[in-house]
Amino acid sequence: MNSTKIDPKFIGQANPRVGLIALASDFMIEKDFINVIKNRKIDFFVNRIECYNPLTKENLIKMSNKITEVTKDILPDQDLDCVVYGCTSGTIAAGHGSIEKKVKVAKPMAEVSTPSTAAIKALKKLNIEKVSIFTPYSKKLNDDVLDYFKSEGFEVTSNSYFDIQDDYDIGKVDQNYLYEVLSKIDLNGADALFVSCTALPVLEIIDKLEKKLNTIVLSSNQALIWDTLVKIKKNNSVEGFGKLFQVN
């Protein structure tokens, strides 16, 4: 038998690489990302981080301590263009600066996006000052989200929340029921509705909600995906997921 050595030919230019850190108990975030980016030349990689329940500020900060380790395991020793930390309340609890620092220990060249900072960026891009906020969280975490948006200069005109204690229960919320709840919210003069949490099944109903409420609707995953696409310069021609994607 003859054995022949053949030299490999490697690709000249790779697609942008996005690494997502998803909560181990999150039902939605990967599905939402794939729904938006599935026909785009983007390489998408996911690793999951241990989530501690019930959801409290202390447990969210505890979870963030593993970010560097989890990030390293997304294509070890390879560069990523953007690392996405998929937890809204967790970013608010730990602080974006802390999240970014932990990511860059593992992937120093990567851009970093988080749901809370992406939402702020989106609201400012849309010139929105007054926002109604819905969260699925406990009263304490819900109030932390409100305080965060207020600290960023936004007027919170109204607020509703589910008071769910555990992350895996958030992902089990019925989407049709969620639409009914959100479509009846009194926006109280708000210029937009923001729906917090990467685990809620919001993305697919945003278009319908915007028509029903006659206002802009943002969600954690929508803002996060939008910001990620902006960072890797792939944010053109996204349709069906809300007015935010029409803004470049």
Side-chain angles (χ1 to χ4, degrees):
M1 183 191 77
N2 292 326
S3 181
T4 304
K5 175 182 174 294
I6 300 174
D7 291 332
K9 181 180 180 180
F10 300 110
I11 56 175
Q13 184 174 2
N15 294 330
R17 294 172 176 172
V18 174
L20 168 64
I21 301 172
L23 272 60
S25 50
D26 192 319
F27 286 67
M28 288 305 305
I29 192 167
E30 288 163 291
K31 178 181 177 181
D32 283 350
F33 257 93
I34 291 167
N35 276 346
V36 177
I37 71 172
K38 59 188 175 186
N39 295 319
R40 295 171 178 270
K41 291 183 177 180
I42 298 169
D43 293 340
F44 180 57
F45 309 94
V46 182
N47 201 7
R48 289 193 167 241
I49 193 166
E50 185 176 4
C51 181
Y52 304 97
N53 288 294
L55 293 176
T56 63
K57 183 175 182 178
E58 292 73 24
N59 278 341
L60 290 167
I61 292 172
K62 181 180 177 182
M63 176 176 68
S64 73
N65 292 332
K66 295 187 176 182
I67 287 175
T68 300
E69 173 188 342
V70 171
T71 306
K72 279 182 179 179
D73 286 339
I74 305 175
L75 298 187
D77 301 320
Q78 300 295 305
D79 287 336
L80 297 174
D81 294 283
C82 187
V83 173
V84 182
Y85 185 59
C87 186
T88 316
S89 56
T91 306
I92 292 171
H96 176 79
S98 174
I99 301 294
E100 184 174 47
K101 183 177 180 180
K102 290 180 172 71
V103 167
K104 284 186 173 290
V105 170
K107 303 290 183 183
M109 303 302 292
E111 297 268 8
V112 179
S113 185
T114 68
S116 55
T117 53
I120 297 299
K121 181 178 176 180
L123 289 167
K124 290 181 177 179
K125 188 74 174 180
L126 292 162
N127 297 314
I128 290 166
E129 298 178 351
K130 298 179 180 180
V131 60
S132 176
I133 295 177
F134 180 90
T135 86
Y137 312 128
S138 67
K139 180 68 164 62
K140 180 66 174 68
L141 282 187
N142 174 80
D143 290 351
D144 287 345
V145 173
L146 303 187
D147 289 343
Y148 172 75
F149 278 82
K150 291 174 184 176
S151 74
E152 291 289 334
F154 296 95
E155 179 183 343
V156 179
T157 63
S158 62
N159 166 238
S160 303
Y161 63 100
F162 276 150
D163 198 22
I164 298 175
Q165 304 295 317
D166 297 323
D167 187 66
Y168 45 75
D169 285 333
I170 296 174
K172 298 173 185 175
V173 171
D174 181 86
Q175 189 178 70
N176 292 329
Y177 175 73
L178 181 62
Y179 173 77
E180 290 178 15
V181 169
L182 296 176
S183 66
K184 295 174 183 175
I185 281 182
D186 180 4
L187 296 174
N188 194 29
D191 302 313
L193 168 65
F194 173 67
V195 185
S196 186
C197 192
T198 63
L200 270 181
V202 191
L203 184 71
E204 293 179 347
I205 60 173
I206 285 179
D207 261 5
K208 189 163 68 166
L209 279 170
E210 288 187 330
K211 292 180 177 70
K212 177 72 173 180
L213 295 170
N214 194 31
T215 195
I216 292 168
V217 178
L218 304 179
S219 78
S220 289
N221 284 351
Q222 178 213 39
L224 186 62
I225 297 166
W226 168 79
D227 187 43
T228 301
L229 295 181
V230 169
K231 288 181 184 299
I232 63 172
K233 298 177 173 59
K234 292 286 185 178
N235 57 310
N236 59 306
S237 304
V238 177
E239 297 180 357
F241 302 103
K243 294 176 182 176
L244 174 61
F245 284 105
Q246 310 310 312
V247 178
N248 294 316

